[in-house]
């Protein structure tokens, strides 16, 4: 009887020790999981191309005087849209700028090409903006550098020699559209020119900087 009791007691002790061991390993694993650095969220092309708001830029007089329906929309209808704003700029053509989640310009339209308020409303609806669309809190653009690349530096008007447009800068891993012009800023200060025009290949600054990084430094690289 005593021998049997000893065996049972020993089994219970071993079971308890195993339970404590498993609990301890789970705790260590959980702590390791918490200590592991979280990866930064990937920035996709959709983050840059999806329209979430709009801004109208126009002069107060000039061409707007010849577009009474556009003026009426700005004065009467625009305040009813939570996603719209207006900025008055001396001499500016009445344009509507489509904005992404970072408040960057994705595209623009000349409002003078739309004959009345209904046409402008249809244009807004086509872009996914209605009077019921809630206002969007714009985020700071994310340009987390990679091992070989800093970011894409955009230039204005599809011109590699045009003025800098920081609002159109792109993350290294985002595909550059055919109307993108500027420079890929690689680590070490090297800038690779990217010209505007039709491109069959999928072009990213990450790929271009990696190509340069792995090639003979004496090679002269063409404009892409």
């Amino acid at each position: 009887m005593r021998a049997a009791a000893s065996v049972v007691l020993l089994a219970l002790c071993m079971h308890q020790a195993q339970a404590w061991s498993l609990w301890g390993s789970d705790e260590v694993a959980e702590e390791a999981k918490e200590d592991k650095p979280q990866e930064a969220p990937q920035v996709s092309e959709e983050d840059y191309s999806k329209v979430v708001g709009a801004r109208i830029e126009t002069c107060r007089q000039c061409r707007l005087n010849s577009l009474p329906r556009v003026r009426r929309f700005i004065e009467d209808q625009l305040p009813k849209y939570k996603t719209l704003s207006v900025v008055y700029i001396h001499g500016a053509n009445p344009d509507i700028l489509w904005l992404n989640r970072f408040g960057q310009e994705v595209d623009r339209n000349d409002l003078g090409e739309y004959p009345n308020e209904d046409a402008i409303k249809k244009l807004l609806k086509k872009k996914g903006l209605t009077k019921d669309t809630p206002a969007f809190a714009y985020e700071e653009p994310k340009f987390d550098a990679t091992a070989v690349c800093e970011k894409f530096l955009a230039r204005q008007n599809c011109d590699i020699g045009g003025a800098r447009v920081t609002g159109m800068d792109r993350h290294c891993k985002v595909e550059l559209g055919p109307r993108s012009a500027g420079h890929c800023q690689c680590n070490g200060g090297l800038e690779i020119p990217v010209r505007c025009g039709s491109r069959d290949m999928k072009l990213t600054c990450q790929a271009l900087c990696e190509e340069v990084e792995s090639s003979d430094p004496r090679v002269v690289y063409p404009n892409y």
Side-chain angles (χ1 to χ4, degrees):
M1 293 290 292
R2 290 182 179 179
S6 298
V7 172
V8 172
L9 181 60
L10 179 60
L12 288 172
C13 290
M14 290 178 65
H15 178 75
Q16 184 67 26
Q18 185 180 17
W20 278 103
S21 176
L22 290 173
W23 178 83
S25 62
D26 290 343
E27 186 179 44
V28 170
E30 189 65 29
E31 290 178 355
K33 183 178 179 181
E34 292 177 357
D35 293 338
K36 184 180 179 180
Q38 297 294 318
E39 294 184 1
Q42 293 295 316
V43 182
S44 67
E45 176 60 27
E46 184 180 4
D47 291 319
Y48 289 101
S49 60
K50 183 179 179 180
V51 173
V52 299
R55 179 177 70 246
I56 292 176
E57 294 183 353
T58 180
C59 57
R60 288 187 180 274
Q61 304 295 328
C62 55
R63 190 182 177 208
L64 194 60
N65 284 337
S66 62
L67 300 169
R69 293 181 177 84
V70 174
R71 179 186 291 279
R72 188 178 303 118
F73 176 86
I74 293 173
E75 294 175 351
D76 298 341
Q77 298 299 320
L78 185 143
K80 300 176 183 179
Y81 287 81
K82 303 180 184 68
T83 53
L84 297 187
S85 62
V86 59
V87 176
Y88 291 102
I89 302 173
H90 179 72
N93 186 71
D95 288 344
I96 184 165
L97 284 62
W98 308 106
L99 309 176
N100 63 19
R101 61 184 285 189
F102 304 119
Q104 299 172 328
E105 178 185 343
V106 174
D107 197 5
R108 68 170 60 201
N109 289 102
D110 182 351
L111 288 178
E113 298 177 0
Y114 297 86
N116 52 51
E117 295 178 50
D118 288 338
I120 298 175
K121 291 178 182 178
K122 288 180 180 178
L123 174 64
L124 288 164
K125 187 175 181 179
K126 183 178 179 180
K127 294 290 186 177
L129 306 179
T130 67
K131 294 177 182 178
D132 296 326
T133 306
F136 190 89
Y138 294 108
E139 306 171 25
E140 287 293 324
K142 300 175 178 64
F143 298 116
D144 298 329
T146 67
V148 297
C149 176
E150 295 289 337
K151 64 179 177 179
F152 172 70
L153 307 173
R155 296 283 175 174
Q156 193 174 35
N157 296 331
C158 206
D159 180 5
I160 196 171
R164 280 277 289 119
V165 188
T166 57
M168 295 299 289
D169 287 353
R170 293 290 183 263
H171 187 277
C172 291
K173 295 183 179 181
V174 172
E175 184 179 338
L176 302 175
R179 291 190 59 77
S180 296
H183 294 81
C184 289
Q185 186 177 45
C186 304
N187 291 347
L190 177 65
E191 292 187 354
I192 303 176
V194 177
R195 295 190 181 278
C196 186
S198 59
R199 286 189 288 267
D200 294 332
M201 59 181 177
K202 292 183 177 180
L203 186 66
T204 67
C205 283
Q206 176 71 14
L208 293 182
C209 291
E210 285 178 349
E211 181 181 344
V212 171
E213 182 80 5
S214 61
S215 301
D216 190 327
R218 293 170 296 179
V219 175
V220 177
Y221 293 93
N223 293 331
Y224 288 88

